[in-house]
Amino acid sequence: MNLTEQLKDEMKKALVAKDKARLGTIRLALAAIKQIEVDTRETLNDDQVLAVLTKMVKQRRDSIAQYEAAGRNELAEIEAAEISVIETFLPAQLSEDEIASLIEATIAEVGAATIADMGKVMGALKPKVQGRADLGAIGQKIRAKLQ
């Protein structure tokens, strides 16, 4: 079962269980996926769906920071609840040690020596960590290693 089918299946379960929060979040995810499919006129594979879900989590984390800065904690809690629903469809997150060892292995694999090689390292590393780690934080770690 691919990820889109899994989302649709979970939407049906949430509908039957009358879990409005979960249902709404899953519908948002499916709508985002459908929008991209309509725009590109192709069906998304699991990796592309993971990218969409990862982007949704990142957007919600940004929103939480803005809501908390504005003192709107009730809205931040709604965003946090949506993150927890979306994360159930993402693969398990990598630990710091796993990330560090992946970075080391990828740097050795592509033969990176300077900061100019960062693009090569990110290009090789991105498919390995998609949906399992924050690419922004990984980019900072790679930059620190290559400097």
Side-chain angles (χ1 to χ4, degrees), residues 9-146:
D9 189 49
E10 288 297 319
M11 181 180 72
K12 291 173 191 170
K13 289 179 185 175
L15 192 60
V16 169
K18 295 186 178 11
D19 186 347
K20 288 183 180 180
R22 184 170 175 83
L23 178 63
T25 303
I26 294 171
R27 282 184 171 159
L28 284 173
L30 287 169
I33 292 165
K34 187 67 172 174
Q35 182 64 48
I36 293 171
E37 288 180 343
V38 167
D39 291 346
T40 62
R41 297 178 188 204
E42 58 185 45
T43 303
L44 299 183
N45 63 29
D46 279 356
D47 290 338
Q48 293 166 318
V49 172
L50 276 177
V52 171
L53 295 177
T54 303
K55 181 179 178 185
M56 289 178 71
V57 169
K58 184 179 185 313
Q59 289 170 336
R60 276 148 187 77
R61 285 196 175 117
D62 293 343
S63 296
I64 287 172
Q66 291 174 2
Y67 288 144
E68 287 176 345
R72 301 292 308 264
N73 292 332
E74 69 283 357
L75 294 174
E77 289 171 14
I78 292 170
E79 297 289 324
E82 288 182 359
I83 287 174
S84 66
V85 170
I86 295 167
E87 284 181 337
T88 62
F89 299 100
L90 295 174
Q93 297 295 301
L94 294 171
S95 70
E96 290 297 319
D97 293 339
E98 291 171 320
I99 291 171
S101 65
L102 272 172
I103 290 172
E104 289 291 332
T106 306
I107 288 173
E109 177 185 312
V110 299
T114 66
I115 195 72
D117 298 324
M118 186 169 165
K120 285 191 238 175
V121 176
M122 282 297 289
L125 192 60
K126 188 176 179 181
K128 298 176 186 174
V129 299
Q130 185 72 45
R132 297 170 51 199
D134 178 21
L135 290 174
I138 288 177
Q140 292 172 350
K141 292 175 183 179
I142 293 171
R143 179 174 282 118
K145 290 228 184 260
L146 292 178

